[in-house]
Amino acid sequence: MPWFRKDLISTEELSPEEIQTVFKTTAAFKKILNRKTAKTPSLRGKTVVNLFFENSTRTRVAFEMAATKLSADVMSLDMKTSSTSKGETLRDTVENIHALAADMIVIRHSAPGSAAYISKVLDIPVLNAGDGAHEHPTQALLDCYTLQEKFGSLKGLKIAILGDILYSRVARSNLWAMIKLGAEVTLVGPATLVPREFEQFGATVSHDLKSALADKDAVMLLRIQHERQNASAFPSITEYTRMFGLNKTRLSWLKENAVIMHPGPINRGVEIDSELADSPQSVILEQVTNGLATRMACLYLCSGGKAEALTGSQ
Ligand code: CP
């Protein structure tokens, strides 16, 4: 088996086989995490540096925990207090961190293409933890892994992604991954946030919530990304919730045992009724839990680890 790939920048570039390799590795790490000593020596002696130029809770903590569980040394820089505020370029920043003997870099940045750019500059693995509205590959991998765990396969699965699609890196990464795995994806929300252009990527685009939710196996809700919008795409939050917020009535439009997903952070009472976020149909916290093993898998595979080496040792 060849090396998985040096960098993880997008799901657009992954083959269905590579996605399944991530899933197989994730499953192996989930087993390891259930052991009494939930740690492996896979990255012992390596240093993983997390560079988060944008806020994060789940992704940052999951990457830190993942590297720790793999026995790596982990450094997380608060980029708000770094020398980028003194005018240093991103390239100079990462080249200096490389010069300090970092072995892998995890980066979140508001600029689309930033992770791809530094992956070309550096000869060490770079993992994209979210670049602007472009991609968030590990989020999509953990989301699709969660669906595969629930349904056995994504082939033929009918999934609605509801909300701010235009500014969402999660929507883009999930769209690529879900379609590659054989799912049927409908993007739904206000016309200002769900442009018809997405149809060229294989999605169905809808602005009618009832017909879009009908017969779906899963709905993924997205928050409104106010930080990326220059002007409001709808009159008010109250009106958005009235038109597109998931409530009990609208949940009944999906299949009976449909699952509710959300990458977080959730805005209770805006895109989702609070009680639905905590309902038995919600897999929101399972997504978060799967995020740890998924990030372990991605770090391990990009460092040159083989899925077979883990599954063979079970
Ligand atoms: N889903 C996600 O990326 O969450 P954070 O912004 O908290 O990392």
Side-chain angles (χ1 to χ4, degrees):
M1 243 335 241
W3 186 7
F4 170 72
R5 52 175 62 230
K6 169 182 153 301
D7 310 298
L8 179 58
I9 305 301
S10 70
T11 55
E12 183 180 8
E13 66 189 359
L14 295 181
S15 67
E17 293 73 29
E18 285 177 304
I19 296 173
Q20 289 300 342
T21 298
V22 174
F23 289 174
K24 195 169 148 185
T25 313
T26 300
F29 279 125
K30 275 193 87 169
K31 279 190 190 162
I32 289 169
L33 288 171
N34 283 330
R35 288 183 193 160
K36 211 167 168 188
T37 311
K39 217 166 167 174
T40 79
S42 308
L43 293 189
R44 184 170 291 152
K46 305 257 187 216
T47 302
V48 177
V49 178
N50 288 322
L51 303 178
F52 278 70
F53 291 85
E54 277 192 337
N55 294 342
S56 171
T57 299
R58 283 145 289 271
T59 314
R60 179 173 164 166
V61 173
F63 265 117
E64 284 179 5
M65 286 184 73
T68 306
K69 297 281 184 196
L70 294 166
S71 304
D73 295 316
V74 191
M75 305 285 301
S76 289
L77 274 77
D78 180 357
M79 298 317 292
K80 291 191 186 85
T81 59
S82 79
S83 288
T84 49
S85 62
K86 300 178 195 163
E88 188 173 59
T89 64
L90 178 61
R91 180 178 184 143
D92 282 332
T93 299
V94 296
E95 283 187 335
N96 277 269
I97 288 165
H98 187 219
L100 288 165
D103 295 296
M104 301 183 86
I105 285 186
V106 176
I107 181 168
R108 169 171 287 191
H109 200 286
S110 58
S114 47
Y117 170 61
I118 69 163
S119 75
K120 304 275 185 298
V121 170
L122 301 178
D123 60 4
I124 57 172
V126 173
L127 286 85
N128 181 8
D131 59 332
H134 174 229
E135 281 237 25
H136 191 352
T138 58
Q139 180 67 47
L141 289 166
L142 73 89
D143 292 336
C144 290
Y145 180 84
T146 304
L147 285 167
Q148 185 156 299
E149 260 192 341
K150 285 275 155 214
F151 294 96
S153 164
L154 272 77
K155 209 165 175 52
L157 218 58
K158 293 182 168 56
I159 304 163
I161 305 181
L162 164 58
D164 176 355
I165 308 295
L166 185 59
Y167 296 97
S168 173
R169 54 193 174 209
V170 175
R172 280 173 184 75
S173 287
N174 264 301
L175 180 61
W176 296 122
M178 287 170 175
I179 285 177
K180 280 172 205 226
L181 296 173
E184 292 170 29
V185 182
T186 299
L187 305 174
V188 58
T192 45
L193 292 176
V194 191
R196 290 266 168 222
E197 281 73 16
F198 279 92
E199 282 172 345
Q200 67 187 298
F201 305 123
T204 299
V205 167
S206 171
H207 307 121
D208 176 66
L209 191 55
K210 191 164 189 175
S211 63
L213 294 187
D215 275 345
K216 294 295 182 291
D217 299 288
V219 59
M220 177 180 290
L221 305 164
L222 299 174
R223 74 180 174 90
I224 306 299
Q225 313 253 323
H226 295 289
E227 69 273 31
R228 296 189 214 291
Q229 298 178 13
N230 296 324
S232 187
F234 44 83
S236 70
I237 288 287
T238 311
E239 274 148 318
Y240 177 83
T241 303
R242 198 179 304 141
M243 296 291 289
F244 292 102
L246 190 70
N247 55 31
K248 255 187 170 167
T249 304
R250 291 167 180 173
L251 183 66
S252 72
W253 297 340
L254 290 119
K255 278 189 185 164
E256 198 179 335
N257 293 319
V259 298
I260 302 169
M261 308 182 79
H262 197 310
I266 62 173
N267 289 153
R268 288 175 185 266
V270 179
E271 68 269 16
I272 182 167
D273 266 9
S274 189
E275 62 176 312
L276 294 187
D278 304 321
S279 70
Q281 278 172 268
S282 165
V283 295
I284 295 171
L285 290 178
E286 283 173 57
Q287 291 171 258
V288 177
T289 301
N290 283 333
L292 173 55
T294 303
R295 268 75 184 223
M296 287 174 78
C298 295
L299 287 167
Y300 172 78
L301 291 169
C302 288
S303 74
K306 300 270 187 292
E308 294 69 29
L310 295 172
T311 45
S313 68
Q314 296 303 298

